[in-house]
Amino acid sequence: MTERTSKDKPRRSLSLKKKKGDAKAGTSTTKTPITNFFSSQPPPNLACPLCGQLVPRFKINDHIDLQCQNFDRGDSTAASGGRNDYSGVQLSPGGNLSKSPETDQKEDTKTKTSPYFKKNNPQQTPRDINNKTVVRTIDLGSLSSKLSRKYHKKPAEVSNTSDPMSSAESTSSSQKENVQTLEDNNDCISAVTEAPSPVEKQSDQSMVSSKQSPSPTKQTKRKKKATFSVKGSLIRKKAKYEGSGGEASSCLDPEDTNTEGQGSDKPFNSELSEKSDADVKVETSDAQSLPYYLRNFRTVLHAVLENEDDRKLFNQEDMSAVHGFQSLSVMAQKLYVRLFQRKLKWLQVNKLDYGEICSDLGSVAQELAQIGFLQTEKDLEDLVEALDLLPAPELKALAKTFHLGSSGTQKQQLVDGLLRLSRQKSFFSPASSQSKVGTVILKRAKQLAGSCVRLSRGPRAVFSRILLLFSLTDTMDEEEMAAGGQNQLFTILLVNSGRLAFPDYAVQREAKVFRDRDDLIRYEASMRALIEVTVAMQGGQWDQALQLYTSAKKTWIELSSNHDLSHQEELPVFLRSFTTGWAYTRILSRGVEILQRLRRYEEAVEELQALLKQSVYCPDSRGRWWDRLALNFHQHLKKPDQAICAMRDGLSDPLVRTGHKLSLHQRALRMKDSPSCKKYRLQLRELPAVQIQDVKHVTIRGQLFPHEGGMGKSRFLLPETEEGDGSAHSTVICSVEELSLAHYRQLGFDQGIHGEGSTFSTLFGLLMWDIIFMEGIPDVFRNPYQTCPLDLYTDCFYENRREAITSRVQLLCEASVETLSAMLEDVWTSQEGKVCSLVSWERFSSLQQAQSLIACLGGAFLGGVTDRMAKDYRHCRGGLPDLVVWNTSNNTYKLVEVKGPNDRLSQKQQIWLDELQKLGADVEVCHVTATGARGARLEEISK
């Protein structure tokens, strides 16, 4: 009976294929494979960062160099320096050079406008908190979030006649993220933006730069020219860094713009003084025809080698590499800069596609190889590098040649199988078989790869050190250092094209950060070691991170014992961060975390004690070190007496500030209440106390949006109502902060901003703009591309400007609302759009909204906050309330710290809430709890 029932019951098929019966009936029942829902193909067209025109993604660089209307290329019509067709000289007899496709084909006559460049007036009316968008979820995405932390610019004033909705639908997902307003501008020391990558595979980032570009009519020109040649001189940032290449890029060599380009052997500076005005004019027009990446690369060389102190850090061999670059033809220089911006690895020549340079790159690569700038396949002797060069299909063919059919289909599996084969020993000739098998595999791999090239390490290291000196004040990550610092080159492009403007300040260099060439090389090595350790930790490779940390520690011990590093101790603390000792100290600090992850607490304690014995390097980390030392003694090693000693020393350390000092105090209170520490209560009572007052707490309820996994930030459902009637027409998904904004809107606060610390840092930057960028302080500004002074995050910031800050704080405390509004308006109108790490120009919808806020806050409150942030911005930039809400009709306001489910106040937040309450602010903590499916309305419960 059971069998019969099962036979009669129709079976449900899980296959996605079309059934035969359906095919015969002609019905369309084909189901789309689930993998199609996860395909994320890059957009076929990208927006030009200068003019906004949509062009094919693989022709974005060719468009900028040859066709872009907003790119200043002088009188020349071609940017390739002659794009002659060469005879295709092979790099080797067996070379396999395939010509790149021509890139100067006819474009579509219909001009398209990118949705990034719609008309967007920054002087818009203040945002009303009643607007629907206040609580609507808008996810900016990782790319736009990263860019917003780098720099902020004005939106480009380019109109878009297409329908906004259709334009938004036609853009890709990554483009939709970037259409939104960029958010927080964090504490980056120098503005670094995503560079336009080479045309092969990396074009997605180039379209972001014009999204928030300031209008050229609103940019203020640099007033005076600057020079880096005189030590200790007070110099103004110059126009040659922001022109269209001009004199700065053309002064490298009198004949370097000639395609046959044989430069002279004269010293670098002697060439600058032997030019007539006519020669300069000719070179200026020639330099303007060069592509932006080459002009910017020349600008970097000129800026560094023009300075006497920096030029002494390069010996004759290094300068010969620079002169060798000058002697190259323009096309060879272009190709070298393109390859320099890529990761250092072997590349197949037939896969290089730089049509704007030359249709046949063989002869150009041959020129670079002859001068020693490029390695060819003859220099490829490492089997791992050769196998990594090949794509998976060629690796599979190579594996079949050696009968390795079972090695798998993935590239790494094929590589591992071939490497195992190369290490096998033969029964007949065990002594020499290993090298023979590996040699045969290497030979076959090189035959499959064809002609391949890689930049020579020697010349590349010279140019990398030049770029390091130029961008010394920047924070370069691992990807940026591997890519030859293309972000710095792109920053120059944005400045030259008027899309990015830095504040006006005086560059005054006096101190020598590096004594000699070896000191610079050691610093470069220490920074690379730090990046390697950081990358291993981020990838969760703790064993590898431990090896790297151990090796770096050994190197630092040998270095500190064999070299005199006293000159590093004499530098100001904000310049000491660019020394070898500082970089290795950061590695040792990361080593503490590595040891703790591996549960080696004894070694972690020893490392912490060694770090705390010195106060020269990383003094701002001492609070974290003391806190961690007390934790390890108390929790992991069960040594409460030593934990008490660590807390006592930490609380007495003047370099331990704010949150960490409160954390040590709270740990002592927990130990005092613990039954296991009864005999230590007398010692715990004698510790220095940190007193803070609690603030008002309120609780609101909202309907929780269930999300997969239950991890991450909580999301809530909020009924969206029309302005006319109070009935809900739709429901939006919002964060806890947006839910809280809706709650305070119901309480009568018609304005509100969720900005956390950026709201107050923006007000601080606007009210202190002239003091932040004041002249007369040496070494705080060392290049024309800084977004803040180097001493901003140290105690030197207040000490160097004590009188000016004290006077400004007193002025703010006594100022009326009209005076405060006038001060804010003066800075806003004169400096709007300029890149400053403190100021987020998008935080306020308009100047009027910012003025309405300071009218509510008052001068006494603003003076108190400004004084606290100026004295210790490094430790006071975090912990400020999430929300600022105010009522423009009666000038009342609230500062609200929002806490979602299972969230609690940090030590820094507790200190700031107490401080703001002492300044007279209305402060409260808003706890958001979740209700069931029926809890759709907000409910307030007073604690």
Side-chain angles (χ1 to χ4, degrees):
M1 184 68 181
T2 305
E3 295 178 357
R4 186 173 183 180
T5 303
S6 61
K7 289 180 180 180
D8 297 338
K9 184 178 180 179
R11 296 183 178 180
R12 180 177 299 173
S13 176
L14 299 179
S15 174
L16 296 177
K17 297 181 178 180
K18 184 186 295 185
K19 296 180 181 180
K20 295 182 178 180
D22 296 337
K24 293 179 180 179
T27 59
S28 178
T29 59
T30 302
K31 297 183 179 181
T32 306
I34 193 170
T35 55
N36 288 0
F37 293 99
F38 300 94
S39 61
S40 180
Q41 297 181 355
N45 296 331
L46 297 177
C48 173
L50 300 180
C51 67
Q53 180 180 345
L54 288 174
V55 296
R57 61 181 288 105
F58 292 108
K59 297 183 179 181
I60 183 69
N61 289 295
D62 186 54
H63 168 78
I64 293 177
D65 295 335
L66 300 177
Q67 302 171 5
C68 182
Q69 298 178 357
N70 291 353
F71 185 64
D72 186 7
R73 58 180 64 86
D75 299 332
S76 178
T77 59
S80 62
R83 296 184 61 185
N84 299 325
D85 291 335
Y86 287 78
S87 57
V89 180
Q90 301 292 336
L91 297 180
S92 64
N96 180 356
L97 294 179
S98 63
K99 295 184 178 181
S100 303
E102 293 292 331
T103 59
D104 44 2
Q105 298 175 356
K106 294 184 178 179
E107 298 289 340
D108 191 0
T109 57
K110 184 178 180 181
T111 302
K112 300 180 181 179
T113 305
S114 168
Y116 289 102
F117 300 93
K118 298 176 184 178
K119 184 73 175 179
N120 187 7
N121 187 6
Q123 299 292 345
Q124 55 185 333
T125 58
R127 286 189 296 235
D128 191 353
I129 199 169
N130 294 311
N131 196 297
K132 301 177 183 179
T133 58
V134 174
V135 292
R136 188 180 298 278
T137 298
I138 297 177
D139 205 349
L140 294 177
S142 59
L143 176 60
S144 62
S145 177
K146 180 179 179 182
L147 288 173
S148 67
R149 292 192 294 267
K150 296 293 184 183
Y151 66 91
H152 287 275
K153 311 181 294 297
K154 297 181 187 176
E157 298 185 359
V158 180
S159 60
N160 187 359
T161 57
S162 60
D163 182 53
M165 296 301 295
S166 62
S167 300
E169 292 175 359
S170 63
T171 56
S172 65
S173 60
S174 62
Q175 290 174 325
K176 290 178 181 178
E177 294 175 346
N178 296 323
V179 173
Q180 308 300 332
T181 302
L182 298 183
E183 290 294 327
D184 298 336
N185 181 7
N186 285 349
D187 49 298
C188 60
I189 293 187
S190 181
V192 181
T193 63
E194 289 301 317
S197 304
V199 295
E200 291 82 35
K201 301 177 181 179
Q202 307 170 355
S203 299
D204 288 343
Q205 299 170 344
S206 63
M207 59 187 171
V208 183
S209 60
S210 294
K211 162 63 177 65
Q212 295 202 350
S213 307
S215 174
T217 60
K218 295 184 179 180
Q219 295 297 345
T220 56
K221 301 293 184 179
R222 306 289 169 92
K223 298 179 180 179
K224 300 179 181 179
K225 294 186 177 180
T227 174
F228 290 90
S229 59
V230 181
K231 178 179 178 181
S233 60
L234 188 63
I235 40 186
R236 177 67 60 181
K237 292 194 303 179
K238 52 186 175 175
K240 69 180 177 182
Y241 287 105
E242 53 182 79
S244 56
E247 300 174 8
S249 60
S250 64
C251 289
L252 283 175
D253 193 285
E255 301 174 8
D256 58 1
T257 55
N258 192 338
T259 54
E260 300 182 5
Q262 298 298 326
S264 63
D265 296 331
K266 296 179 182 180
F268 189 85
N269 277 353
S270 64
E271 301 170 1
L272 302 178
S273 59
E274 297 180 1
K275 297 180 181 179
S276 63
D277 295 338
D279 294 336
V280 172
K281 292 181 180 179
V282 173
E283 291 178 9
T284 300
S285 61
D286 291 339
Q288 289 176 347
S289 66
L290 298 176
Y292 67 91
Y293 53 87
L294 179 54
R295 293 194 308 175
N296 297 341
F297 190 80
R298 290 181 173 187
T299 300
V300 171
L301 296 182
H302 184 274
V304 173
L305 298 179
E306 186 186 29
N307 182 268
E308 182 180 357
D309 291 338
D310 290 344
R311 191 170 60 253
K312 291 180 180 178
L313 301 176
F314 300 91
N315 58 15
Q316 189 62 34
E317 182 179 356
D318 298 336
M319 294 305 298
S320 65
V322 177
H323 291 305
F325 177 81
Q326 299 170 18
S327 66
L328 292 171
S329 65
V330 172
M331 286 188 294
Q333 290 183 7
K334 292 178 186 177
L335 180 59
Y336 186 83
V337 175
R338 283 298 197 194
L339 297 180
F340 180 81
Q341 290 179 306
R342 301 182 61 163
K343 197 170 184 179
L344 181 62
K345 63 178 184 179
W346 287 96
L347 302 169
Q348 291 177 281
V349 177
N350 58 5
K351 291 187 177 181
L352 295 177
D353 185 13
Y354 295 116
E356 82 279 4
I357 298 177
C358 183
S359 59
D360 182 11
L361 295 175
S363 58
V364 184
Q366 182 68 26
E367 181 181 353
L368 291 173
Q370 290 177 352
I371 201 175
F373 277 28
L374 210 61
Q375 293 178 295
T376 63
E377 65 274 4
K378 297 178 181 178
D379 303 311
L380 179 56
E381 301 295 339
D382 187 273
L383 180 58
V384 177
E385 294 178 346
L387 296 178
D388 183 64
L389 177 64
L390 297 176
E394 296 180 1
L395 278 174
K396 190 173 183 180
L398 182 63
K400 287 184 178 180
T401 304
F402 292 94
H403 307 287
L404 296 177
S406 60
S407 297
T409 58
Q410 299 296 327
K411 180 175 180 177
Q412 190 58 44
Q413 295 175 345
L414 296 170
V415 171
D416 293 340
L418 290 169
L419 291 176
R420 283 194 301 268
L421 178 63
S422 68
R423 291 190 291 265
Q424 289 181 1
K425 296 182 179 180
S426 174
F427 177 77
F428 300 99
S429 54
S432 59
S433 63
Q434 183 176 0
S435 60
K436 286 184 177 180
V437 175
T439 302
V440 174
I441 297 177
L442 177 62
K443 183 178 179 181
R444 296 285 181 87
K446 291 170 67 174
Q447 290 177 352
L448 289 174
S451 296
C452 52
V453 294
R454 184 180 69 177
L455 289 184
S456 300
R457 295 183 182 273
R460 188 182 190 274
V462 175
F463 294 115
S464 296
R465 290 197 297 273
I466 293 176
L467 188 65
L468 178 64
L469 285 174
F470 179 80
S471 58
L472 186 63
T473 58
D474 298 341
T475 303
M476 296 175 62
D477 55 14
E478 187 269 342
E479 181 181 357
E480 171 67 7
M481 292 194 72
Q486 58 182 344
N487 284 347
Q488 281 77 10
L489 301 181
F490 191 51
T491 300
I492 303 175
L493 168 65
L494 294 175
V495 173
N496 292 346
S497 60
R499 300 292 182 178
L500 186 65
F502 288 86
D504 294 323
Y505 52 77
V507 176
Q508 184 178 357
R509 299 177 56 173
E510 291 185 1
K512 292 179 61 176
V513 180
F514 305 105
R515 289 189 306 177
D516 50 30
R517 177 176 180 269
D518 294 335
D519 196 12
L520 173 61
I521 294 176
R522 286 192 294 266
Y523 173 71
E524 183 186 26
S526 65
M527 288 301 297
R528 293 192 180 276
L530 173 62
I531 290 173
E532 290 176 356
V533 173
T534 304
V535 170
M537 293 174 63
Q538 292 174 349
Q541 303 172 349
W542 298 105
D543 293 332
Q544 180 184 357
L546 178 63
Q547 296 177 0
L548 295 171
Y549 149 73
T550 305
S551 176
K553 182 179 180 180
K554 181 180 178 182
T555 303
W556 169 237
I557 293 175
E558 295 176 356
L559 181 63
S560 57
S561 60
N562 298 331
H563 295 82
D564 181 19
L565 303 178
S566 58
H567 71 286
Q568 298 183 5
E569 303 177 9
E570 299 172 357
L571 292 172
V573 65
F574 58 88
L575 290 182
R576 217 177 298 156
S577 59
F578 308 119
T579 60
T580 305
W582 194 288
Y584 279 113
T585 302
R586 292 176 63 187
I587 295 176
L588 299 180
S589 181
R590 280 164 170 74
V592 173
E593 182 179 352
I594 296 171
L595 294 171
Q596 290 172 162
R597 287 281 186 151
L598 299 176
R599 301 183 182 276
R600 300 166 70 164
Y601 298 109
E602 291 281 358
E603 299 177 48
V605 165
E606 293 178 1
E607 191 63 78
L608 284 169
Q609 291 174 334
L611 288 170
L612 288 167
K613 286 181 181 179
Q614 60 85 32
S615 59
V616 177
Y617 305 110
C618 303
D620 55 340
S621 300
R622 294 182 65 84
R624 185 174 69 253
W625 295 340
W626 282 119
D627 193 14
R628 197 68 212 187
L629 182 63
L631 172 65
N632 287 335
F633 274 135
H634 180 215
Q635 296 289 343
H636 302 299
L637 301 182
K638 307 301 180 183
K639 297 179 180 180
D641 52 341
Q642 297 189 36
I644 295 174
C645 293
M647 288 185 289
R648 180 185 297 108
D649 295 339
L651 289 171
S652 304
D653 193 336
L655 295 174
V656 178
R657 310 285 174 82
T658 59
H660 294 296
K661 183 168 291 189
L662 179 60
S663 177
L664 290 171
H665 172 70
Q666 291 177 346
R667 185 175 301 282
L669 294 178
R670 289 193 297 270
M671 289 183 65
K672 186 170 62 175
D673 297 337
S674 175
S676 61
C677 299
K678 287 183 178 180
K679 60 180 180 179
Y680 300 106
R681 287 181 179 176
L682 182 60
Q683 302 179 36
L684 291 170
R685 289 173 184 168
E686 296 175 353
L687 295 178
V690 180
Q691 301 294 335
I692 60 170
Q693 299 294 328
D694 199 5
V695 299
K696 179 183 176 181
H697 291 253
V698 298
T699 301
I700 63 174
R701 299 182 184 276
Q703 183 178 356
L704 185 67
F705 174 73
H707 56 284
E708 185 178 358
M711 302 297 291
K713 292 186 176 181
S714 301
R715 314 293 288 179
F716 289 84
L717 296 176
L718 180 68
E720 188 179 40
T721 59
E722 296 291 341
E723 296 183 2
D725 53 355
S727 58
H729 296 276
S730 61
T731 302
V732 296
I733 303 173
C734 64
S735 63
V736 289
E737 292 84 6
E738 293 166 335
L739 188 71
S740 301
L741 281 174
H743 164 69
Y744 287 101
R745 180 185 61 191
Q746 295 176 359
L747 297 181
F749 295 98
D750 59 333
Q751 294 289 317
I753 293 178
H754 171 215
E756 302 180 2
S758 66
T759 304
F760 294 94
S761 67
T762 297
L763 293 177
F764 173 74
L766 293 175
L767 296 174
M768 298 279 291
W769 187 282
D770 56 332
I771 298 178
I772 294 172
F773 297 101
M774 68 185 302
E775 299 180 0
I777 305 174
D779 294 312
V780 295
F781 294 108
R782 294 181 64 89
N783 70 45
Y785 305 105
Q786 290 180 218
T787 61
C788 67
L790 296 181
D791 62 348
L792 176 63
Y793 302 97
T794 66
D795 294 342
C796 300
F797 178 80
Y798 182 78
E799 296 298 330
N800 292 334
R801 305 165 179 81
R802 180 187 295 270
E803 294 183 4
I805 292 175
T806 304
S807 176
R808 180 60 52 85
V809 170
Q810 184 178 359
L811 175 62
L812 291 175
C813 292
E814 300 174 354
S816 62
V817 174
E818 292 76 12
T819 303
L820 293 173
S821 298
M823 292 173 59
L824 193 67
E825 183 178 3
D826 290 342
V827 177
W828 188 288
T829 55
S830 62
Q831 309 295 338
E832 184 182 4
K834 293 186 179 180
V835 186
C836 175
S837 62
L838 292 168
V839 178
S840 174
W841 295 105
E842 291 78 20
R843 180 56 53 225
F844 298 99
S845 61
S846 65
L847 170 62
Q848 290 72 27
Q849 188 187 32
Q851 289 175 328
S852 67
L853 175 58
I854 64 174
C856 297
L857 296 178
F861 174 80
L862 290 172
V865 173
T866 300
D867 182 63
R868 180 174 177 83
M869 297 182 78
K871 289 180 177 178
D872 190 10
Y873 185 78
R874 167 69 175 82
H875 296 94
C876 293
R877 56 181 174 171
L880 285 156
D882 296 314
L883 306 182
V884 180
V885 294
W886 68 97
N887 189 324
T888 55
S889 60
N890 56 16
N891 285 346
T892 59
Y893 70 95
K894 277 183 181 291
L895 307 180
V896 185
E897 179 63 40
V898 181
K899 290 298 170 186
N902 304 322
D903 196 4
R904 61 181 183 178
L905 293 172
S906 67
Q907 285 82 12
K908 288 186 178 181
Q909 290 171 344
Q910 295 177 42
I911 291 177
W912 257 121
L913 291 174
D914 176 57
E915 186 69 23
L916 295 173
Q917 188 171 248
K918 290 178 181 178
L919 292 174
D922 187 2
V923 184
E924 66 184 31
V925 180
C926 180
H927 299 272
V928 181
T929 59
T931 62
R934 298 180 180 180
R937 65 184 181 87
L938 301 177
E939 177 183 357
E940 180 180 358
I941 302 176
S942 299
K943 275 194 172 183

